Amino acid sequence: YAHLAMADGANVSLEGPATLTLNSPSRVSLTTGVLSAYVPEGAEGFVVDTPAGRVLDLGTEFGVEVMKNDQSVEVHVMTGRVVASLPDEGAARTVRAGHARRMDASTARIEPVVVHTQKFARTWTEVERSVRVSDAVRYLYDTPESVRAGELEDNDVLFLLPEKRGVELPAYQVL
């Protein structure tokens, strides 16, 4: 993972393998990989160029994935909205929070897809932003295989763990 703080205030995270070109303080080109962006108020207008088109931020948190098999691009919006547009002033669609679209330059189409915001959760989340603001919250990026009672105990800190399925927690005795 790589986290970039852009000069315009946008925060970008990459999940490798990825190829990213920094074009300006408010514009990047993603050729391969997964990118997440958090664009705070005042940094609206951040642009991600991709092989299948352009994503223009309108003040939001979103994820972009360049698909390995066909260079189409999926855009998933967690909060706010973006404009997804095909190259050369082609079709454009506004994508709102909780929605996703696939841009495909070869077919000149932008189509709805099932939203999977969790695929971007490790690259940039609300929880991670809160970690930067407060020392009272600690985000454990790798879920421990087991947690024994008292192992993560601290009266001054809140520990947050990423969701993991199939983990059985031991019985906890309340005093």
Side-chain angles (χ1 to χ4, degrees):
Y1 295 97
H3 298 285
L4 305 169
M6 304 297 289
D8 72 344
N11 290 286
V12 175
S13 296
L14 287 175
E15 182 178 340
T19 304
L20 183 77
T21 302
L22 303 175
N23 301 320
S24 77
S26 61
R27 185 183 213 109
V28 298
S29 295
L30 180 68
T31 309
T32 60
V34 176
L35 171 148
S36 293
Y38 168 66
V39 184
E41 188 174 322
E44 297 91 346
F46 181 74
V47 174
V48 179
D49 291 311
T50 72
R54 173 177 298 147
V55 179
L56 169 65
D57 168 76
L58 300 175
T60 188
E61 183 173 10
F62 65 96
V64 177
E65 180 177 14
V66 177
M67 309 309 282
K68 293 176 187 173
N69 57 346
D70 62 3
Q71 293 290 290
S72 65
V73 172
E74 288 191 5
V75 180
H76 298 254
V77 180
M78 286 66 119
T79 62
R81 58 195 172 104
V82 302
V83 175
S85 58
L86 295 172
D88 302 320
E89 306 302 321
R93 300 283 184 276
T94 299
V95 186
R96 300 185 187 287
H99 293 88
R101 297 288 185 273
R102 179 184 293 247
M103 298 187 298
D104 189 336
S106 67
T107 62
R109 297 179 73 161
I110 301 175
E111 298 180 328
V113 293
V114 175
V115 66
H116 292 290
T117 57
Q118 69 274 10
K119 82 165 66 174
F120 304 99
R122 278 200 70 180
T123 52
W124 196 263
T125 66
E126 188 71 41
V127 170
E128 289 181 83
R129 283 197 303 279
S130 69
V131 171
R132 289 173 178 79
V133 173
S134 171
D135 290 334
V137 178
R138 294 210 181 111
Y139 188 81
L140 302 178
Y141 292 90
D142 296 313
T143 306
E145 288 301 316
S146 66
V147 178
R148 291 185 295 274
E151 197 171 339
L152 293 176
E153 198 168 289
D154 189 322
N155 290 333
D156 298 320
V157 175
L158 172 65
F159 291 97
L160 300 172
L161 303 142
E163 183 178 354
K164 190 171 185 181
R165 297 183 189 273
V167 174
E168 193 170 314
L169 298 176
Y172 188 8
Q173 182 180 7
V174 179
L175 301 175

